[in-house]
Amino acid sequence: MFAAYATSFDRDQPLTGLELGERPEPDARPGWTVVDVKAASINHHDLWSLQGVGLSEESLPMILGCDAAGVDADGNEVVVHSVIGQSGHGVGPREPRSILTERYQGTFAERVAVPAWNVLPKPKELTFEQAACLPTAWLTAYRMLFTNANVRPGDSVLVQGAGGGVATAAIVLGKAAGLRIFATSRDAVKRMRAVELGAEEAFEPGARLPHRVDAVIETVGAATWSHSVKSLRPGGTLVISGATSGNTPKAGELNRIFFLELKVVGSTMGTKEELAGLLSFCASSGVRPVIDSVLPLDQAREGLAKMASGELFGKVVLTV
């Protein structure tokens, strides 16, 4: 079957290790199922895999991709939950949690094998392309907002780095849930689009907000960390799920954190139950993922290059 896969690692030029071509068919071991992939979306996780983050040389070649929507062996339209091992279903009872492509072949292929427990029904209201955007970036944003930030309608939230998949998801989901959303971006066009998506206002990074917020959604890391901490009200919550600009900020702002009793919460992906809630929320509310572009699988290199450059707003989707 045709697939996009990693054959080597390069921290500075990750796309040098990307290959497009034929790979063996997936093996449906007991308790697993094979899904015919209709659409898969690109995440920063795929670039990190090409850099060797979370992936060993012994695992190569590794088909990339952790998000997918498609059709299972019984003809059902499904969405793949990409966190493997958290339940023991289809894997050993002591296997630690991982994301597809950290241990198992991924979704940038014509077919993918996953534990049957990891397959959820795709709502008929969503296209394959829309559904494929949800299991990583949108699920991450959903958990950050509603589980870890624990915000309620009327609360105010700052979303750093508008344009990325998690950030755009947080803006759209937050608006739909009745939150007051502020956003930042270095790019004036992205700031304008953030407002169009539902942000009350969008600012340049580091700008003073109209007031301190109840929560901050942080995926940028070092470049925005100090601003995130300083933007919180006393007792507010900073939820972090990534550090695309680096993981070592110039100032940790520890005095401010303990003096104002701020909460800093790490967040990674989400549960199957949260993904089911997200799918239901999108189907019933009319909320739809923000898609930057849709490309055929054989143009995966172009899609990953767009992700690497940061010149995107929303998700890049690959179709099979």
Side-chain angles (χ1 to χ4, degrees):
M1 65 175 181
F2 186 80
Y5 55 99
T7 58
S8 63
F9 306 135
D10 190 317
R11 288 195 172 273
D12 298 321
Q13 297 182 339
L15 294 184
T16 59
L18 177 68
E19 296 287 343
L20 303 175
E22 294 298 315
R23 295 298 301 150
E25 290 284 342
D27 178 26
R29 68 193 76 186
W32 289 50
T33 187
V34 174
V35 174
D36 289 326
V37 177
K38 297 299 183 183
S41 68
I42 296 175
N43 294 285
H44 274 288
H45 180 74
D46 303 308
L47 286 176
W48 294 332
S49 295
L50 287 165
Q51 293 175 315
V53 178
L55 190 60
S56 66
E57 293 276 359
E58 293 74 22
S59 300
L60 299 177
M62 176 61 75
I63 297 173
L64 299 172
C66 37
D67 290 349
V71 178
D72 69 9
D74 297 321
N76 302 304
E77 296 185 351
V78 298
V79 180
V80 173
H81 177 48
S82 62
V83 180
I84 309 294
Q86 66 177 4
S87 66
H89 291 270
V91 298
R94 295 183 179 87
E95 180 170 325
R97 181 183 66 174
S98 66
I99 301 172
L100 268 180
T101 75
E102 290 179 338
R103 285 189 177 87
Y104 302 104
Q105 301 293 325
T107 61
F108 292 175
E110 294 177 289
R111 284 166 290 282
V112 63
V114 296
W117 185 86
N118 283 69
V119 171
L120 292 86
K122 180 185 78 65
K124 66 182 187 317
E125 294 87 351
L126 301 178
T127 67
F128 286 111
E129 292 83 1
Q130 291 167 342
C133 296
L134 299 179
T136 295
W138 278 66
L139 178 59
T140 297
Y142 185 88
R143 180 175 177 82
M144 291 176 81
L145 281 170
F146 305 125
T147 301
N148 288 327
N150 196 29
V151 286
R152 297 174 295 180
D155 285 349
S156 56
V157 177
L158 170 63
V159 178
Q160 298 280 22
V166 175
T168 53
I171 293 169
V172 174
L173 291 170
K175 172 65 175 178
L179 302 174
R180 298 183 63 191
I181 301 294
F182 301 105
T184 67
S185 175
R186 294 173 298 176
D187 187 288
V189 174
K190 291 181 179 180
R191 293 196 296 271
M192 180 180 67
R193 293 200 61 187
V195 172
E196 291 171 353
L197 287 179
E200 190 170 305
E201 293 184 73
F203 305 90
E204 293 184 1
R208 186 181 181 88
L209 303 183
H211 57 81
R212 291 182 178 176
V213 297
D214 298 290
V216 175
I217 300 302
E218 174 65 84
T219 60
V220 180
T224 55
W225 179 261
S226 184
H227 182 242
S228 292
V229 174
K230 292 175 180 177
S231 296
L232 282 168
R233 65 162 175 79
T237 303
L238 192 162
V239 185
I240 179 168
S241 69
T244 56
S245 67
N247 59 12
T248 309
K250 292 181 179 179
E253 305 293 348
L254 298 183
N255 288 349
R256 186 178 292 268
I257 290 171
F258 71 71
F259 186 73
L260 296 180
E261 296 188 313
L262 305 179
K263 293 179 283 291
V264 177
V265 181
S267 190
T268 299
M269 296 289 288
T271 67
K272 179 184 176 182
E273 292 74 22
E274 286 167 330
L275 178 55
L278 171 60
L279 288 165
S280 177
F281 183 63
C282 289
S284 62
S285 68
V287 166
R288 296 295 180 267
V290 181
I291 296 178
D292 176 273
S293 51
V294 178
L295 301 169
L297 179 58
D298 61 9
Q299 293 182 26
R301 185 177 299 276
E302 288 81 352
L304 284 159
K306 179 176 282 242
M307 171 69 75
S309 72
E311 297 301 318
L312 78 174
F313 194 93
K315 299 289 290 178
V316 176
V317 179
L318 303 176
T319 56
V320 180

